Amino acid sequence: MIIIEELVTEEEVRHIFPLMKDLRPYLDETRFIQIWKTMQPDGYRIFAMYDAGELVAFTGIQIRTNMYYFRHVFVHELVTRADIRSKGYGKELLSFVHDWGREHECVTVALESALIRDDAHRFYETKMGYDRFCYSFKKELG
């Protein structure tokens, strides 16, 4: 049985760190928790998906408003456990995000995906109907 629930305590959030590490290998657990605590006041939320009580995927999302997406859900992370990808968990979790966004009066769901993540791009475009329409740029300020 699949259950999706919001994680709100530090203990709950620590439980998803191994999946976060798959997506963001440069993070250690301490830094991950520090960043999570910093993002919370701005509305960052984590939803975990469990199948038969076992963690299979999670997403980190936030409602934002800007001039080009208007009120939208921004997906910071969407991760399915590597050993069970392509079994429909990501599709179900992202569909949950779409419904959640509608319930919270959002008109768009937006996300970014690293250039090297071809499998993720195929998933977003072919299975979920997303449009690839722009590039994101960054400059390190170190």
Side-chain angles (χ1 to χ4, degrees), residues 36-100:
W36 168 71
K37 287 179 179 179
T38 301
M39 292 175 74
Q40 274 193 303
D42 293 327
Y44 178 74
R45 300 167 86 162
I46 295 175
F47 291 90
M49 174 182 273
Y50 299 91
D51 190 351
E54 186 177 335
L55 177 66
V56 294
F58 85 91
T59 187
I61 62 175
Q62 179 181 30
I63 292 177
R64 294 178 169 178
T65 302
N66 59 32
M67 297 294 180
Y68 47 98
Y69 294 139
F70 308 108
R71 183 176 170 86
H72 65 281
V73 178
F74 190 83
V75 179
H76 291 278
E77 296 88 22
L78 180 73
V79 185
T80 300
R81 227 176 58 210
D83 62 322
I84 53 172
R85 289 195 181 127
S86 298
K87 300 206 182 282
Y89 294 117
K91 184 175 183 177
E92 188 166 341
L93 188 54
L94 195 52
S95 294
F96 166 85
V97 171
H98 297 167
D99 292 340
W100 187 90

Side-chain angles (χ1 to χ4, degrees), residues 9-17 20 27-40 44 46:
T9 69
E10 184 175 326
E11 182 180 337
E12 291 170 335
V13 170
R14 281 184 190 279
H15 183 67
I16 60 122
F17 178 70
M20 179 65 84
L27 281 179
D28 62 46
E29 189 171 356
T30 300
R31 183 87 168 124
F32 164 60
I33 293 298
Q34 288 171 341
I35 293 170
W36 168 71
K37 287 179 179 179
T38 301
M39 292 175 74
Q40 274 193 303
Y44 178 74
I46 295 175

